Amino acid sequence: MIATRFQWSDDDSLSRRHRTMEILRENNLLQAFLPYLLISSSVQILEGIAVMHWIVPIDHRYYLVAHCVFYLTISIRVLFDLLIPILAHPVIKTDAKKTMRSLAKRFDPDRTAITEVAPVHSTTRRLSIVKSTNGQRLSFSPEEEKEMYFAGYDQVWGGPP
């Protein structure tokens, strides 16, 4: 049996099939990446020509603004240069999905709550009890604050005579 470029015969080796699959993946990547590369390069070349030949001769004060916009488009292009292979290659795409899921689990706000909220028995206002990382209370009712204030004075001055 004669094999065409992407068909296998029974006598083909496993390594040859593997190489063929890698070629197909790279072909899909290039089909997505090359048109983008052509369009983005053309846009940047035209933008550079516009800056140097149309914007600067008209008014040189816009030179820095035009260059900032030019460098901004370069940075956006670099981001897309990195994003397209991630989206086009299946192995990289699945690894990127796993990484994003693990990051989402790590920064889940429900898991990272470090404060306890409980009502404080007070007649003037309601507070929540906030605890530090070692378990000490950090918020107090006004009465407790007053007691702590005078207890600190008693420690410093040795109490009333």
Side-chain angles (χ1 to χ4, degrees):
M1 179 177 186
I2 299 174
T4 61
R5 182 174 177 192
F6 297 115
Q7 292 178 345
W8 299 296
S9 64
D10 293 334
D11 58 345
D12 284 337
S13 67
L14 183 61
S15 64
R16 185 171 177 181
R17 290 180 185 183
H18 181 68
R19 281 189 306 232
T20 305
M21 291 304 296
E22 286 297 318
I23 290 170
L24 283 173
R25 285 184 187 150
E26 292 169 4
N27 188 17
N28 290 338
L29 175 66
L30 289 177
Q31 283 180 350
F33 191 66
L34 287 179
Y36 161 75
L37 193 61
L38 176 70
I39 291 169
S40 64
S41 297
S42 300
V43 166
Q44 281 189 331
I45 289 170
L46 290 175
E47 188 178 9
I49 290 171
V51 167
M52 295 308 293
H53 294 289
W54 294 319
I55 295 175
V56 173
I58 292 173
D59 193 355
H60 68 280
R61 292 178 293 179
Y62 297 122
Y63 177 75
L64 290 176
V65 174
H67 265 277
C68 288
V69 170
F70 181 70
Y71 289 127
L72 179 68
T73 58
I74 289 174
S75 62
I76 292 171
R77 179 181 170 195
V78 168
L79 289 175
F80 279 107
D81 286 349
L82 297 173
L83 186 65
I84 286 176
I86 290 172
L87 296 176
H89 200 281
V91 176
I92 299 173
K93 188 177 187 177
T94 56
D95 287 342
K97 283 181 183 179
K98 288 179 186 176
T99 304
M100 295 306 285
R101 285 186 193 124
S102 67
L103 286 175
K105 286 179 184 176
R106 181 179 293 168
F107 295 110
D108 186 18
D110 295 334
R111 291 184 53 209
T112 58
I114 59 169
T115 60
E116 276 183 27
V117 178
V120 175
H121 302 294
S122 175
T123 57
T124 56
R125 59 182 174 170
R126 292 188 61 130
L127 297 175
S128 61
I129 296 175
V130 179
K131 293 187 177 183
S132 68
T133 56
N134 61 359
Q136 296 176 344
R137 284 182 51 196
L138 297 176
S139 62
F140 304 98
S141 68
E143 294 86 15
E144 290 173 327
E145 286 180 12
K146 186 189 260 185
E147 289 174 15
M148 290 173 58
Y149 177 77
F150 288 114
Y153 269 130
D154 285 343
Q155 276 184 335
V156 172
W157 296 104

